[in-house]
Amino acid sequence: MREITLQRTTRETDITLALHLDGSGRFSGSSGIGFFDHMLSAFAVHSGMDLSLQMTGDLKVDCHHSVEDVGIVLGQALGRLADKNAIQRYGSFFIPMDESLAFCSLDLGGRPFLVFDAAFQNPAVGQFDCCMTGEFFRAVAMQAGMTLHLRLLYGENDHHKIEALFKAFAHALRQAVAPKQGGPLSSKGVLG
């Protein structure tokens, strides 16, 4: 079974996250940040993965530590679950969200890197700081050993822009973690 439960406790957050790669697209629990929960739910539905989150964070400060730390733990879970010898490795996907269009391309080959090309018009959507979108994906990529390119081609509504990025990521990841036979997809014979 490709599933894992991880816990991370710091002075800023206390997180228990469970991830099942071959789930049915369900999200349960809460980060305490409504819009971020909406994005995590969209991620679960569009990736086909089950994601469960129990957490407390220092939201009296702002959402930064909570969002980033969820990214850290989700990245760690993906890094441990994605057996590089038995997955497709690559994924790419475009998502239209009304007037917005986002693209994601990723490689689970063990070399962490992030290219994040997206601009937002407002400081926040609800209690979610728009600048945390890039921070979340940076944490995921670094912890998962993932090369991750996310680009917002255009859009006007920040809610739509961020949601398109999360959904594009989910679909690209779904492709990359799909099982395959025959060892690592690498001309070197190894990944990392």
Side-chain angles (χ1 to χ4, degrees):
M1 299 279 293
R2 300 190 306 163
E3 56 186 315
I4 192 171
T5 300
L6 296 176
Q7 186 168 10
R8 174 184 164 90
T9 302
T10 71
R11 292 180 184 166
E12 299 164 341
T13 60
D14 186 4
I15 297 171
T16 301
L17 182 145
L19 182 65
H20 183 200
L21 295 185
D22 305 306
S24 57
R26 292 182 312 227
F27 172 68
S28 62
S30 178
S31 66
I33 308 159
F35 181 75
F36 187 43
D37 289 346
H38 178 46
M39 294 303 96
L40 294 174
S41 179
F43 165 78
V45 168
H46 286 266
S47 68
M49 299 176 193
D50 290 342
L51 176 63
S52 174
L53 177 66
Q54 286 82 45
M55 76 170 292
T56 55
D58 59 353
L59 295 177
K60 62 188 177 297
V61 175
D62 63 13
C63 71
H64 187 113
H65 301 135
S66 294
V67 173
E68 183 177 41
D69 286 6
V70 170
I72 288 170
V73 180
L74 178 60
Q76 290 171 343
L78 288 168
R80 293 183 192 179
L81 281 178
D83 177 0
K84 294 175 180 56
N85 292 315
I87 59 169
Q88 294 295 330
R89 179 180 173 182
Y90 295 102
S92 296
F93 214 84
F94 282 93
I95 285 285
M97 182 76 188
D98 295 345
E99 86 297 342
S100 298
L101 182 65
F103 173 71
C104 177
S105 187
L106 61 85
D107 172 13
L108 288 171
R111 296 170 63 169
F113 197 85
L114 174 69
V115 175
F116 185 80
D117 182 11
F120 305 105
Q121 296 176 336
N122 299 291
V125 176
Q127 298 301 309
F128 179 86
D129 295 341
C130 292
C131 66
M132 290 310 300
T133 309
E135 293 300 318
F136 171 79
F137 286 115
R138 179 174 288 103
V140 171
M142 295 305 123
Q143 295 298 318
M146 173 191 305
T147 298
L148 176 59
H149 292 248
L150 283 160
R151 183 172 186 207
L152 181 69
L153 284 79
Y154 46 80
E156 296 176 9
N157 182 298
D158 288 338
H159 182 134
H160 296 162
K161 293 181 204 177
I162 295 168
E163 189 164 347
L165 289 165
F166 269 81
K167 289 178 177 178
F169 171 68
H171 280 274
L173 186 62
R174 184 177 198 163
Q175 292 173 358
V177 300
K180 75 174 252 333
Q181 302 293 321
L185 187 59
S186 170
S187 58
K188 295 183 286 190
V190 296
L191 293 177

